[in-house]
Amino acid sequence: MNTQLNLALRYGASFSLVALIALCLVWELGVAPLKPGGSLLVLKVLPLLLPLRGVLKGSLYTLQWSSMLILLYFMEGVVRAYSDPAAASVAMAWLEIILSLTFYLCAVLYLYPAKKAAKARQQSLKELP
């Protein structure tokens, strides 16, 4: 592939995913768990571990599907930011919103040149006699 991909966006996606994993662990095990001592909501970290290797490697396919997965964490952050009574939990929810949006934007902007090149390649194949 001849496409120039922005490494800063790849590293931004990687950093925000790792930070989101750490945030979810700290949030549900210590800072503001739903139940004192932690809750099973910490298991929400498991789906974030699935794309971790591919995101760290810069896999286009992994970044593509994980950008859709991350929207679930964005939605959870919005719901908890406006519904949780504990101030610490609200602060953690806002961090979750910021990290999930950062990941989403970095992933989509990183993928854009590759998608554009693939579309151009597809178009050129259609034009061949």
Side-chain angles (χ1 to χ4, degrees):
M1 182 179 285
N2 221 1
T3 306
Q4 293 290 358
L5 299 175
N6 188 334
L7 285 179
L9 292 171
R10 177 180 153 199
Y11 294 142
S14 297
F15 172 79
S16 58
L17 181 61
V18 170
L20 187 59
I21 291 169
L23 172 79
C24 291
L25 288 172
V26 168
W27 185 1
E28 300 302 340
L29 291 176
V31 174
L34 288 178
K35 295 179 184 177
S39 71
L40 286 179
L41 200 53
V42 75
L43 295 177
K44 72 181 179 184
V45 170
L46 294 179
L48 292 174
L49 297 176
L50 295 174
L52 183 60
R53 182 176 179 198
V55 169
L56 292 175
K57 286 180 150 186
S59 166
L60 298 179
Y61 179 73
T62 304
L63 280 160
Q64 192 172 358
W65 68 259
S66 62
S67 66
M68 295 297 108
L69 171 71
I70 210 75
L71 293 176
L72 295 172
Y73 293 85
F74 171 76
M75 290 187 300
E76 185 214 13
V78 169
V79 168
R80 291 188 70 179
Y82 288 101
S83 66
D84 276 6
S89 188
V90 170
M92 299 300 268
W94 279 106
L95 284 172
E96 183 177 35
I97 291 169
I98 292 166
L99 290 172
S100 60
L101 276 179
T102 301
F103 178 87
Y104 181 80
L105 291 174
C106 286
V108 167
L109 293 173
Y110 180 76
L111 291 167
Y112 180 74
K115 289 298 195 179
K116 190 175 178 182
K119 195 174 201 179
R121 227 179 4 260
Q122 186 73 11
Q123 188 66 25
S124 67
L125 288 175
K126 285 182 181 178
E127 293 172 359
L128 289 176

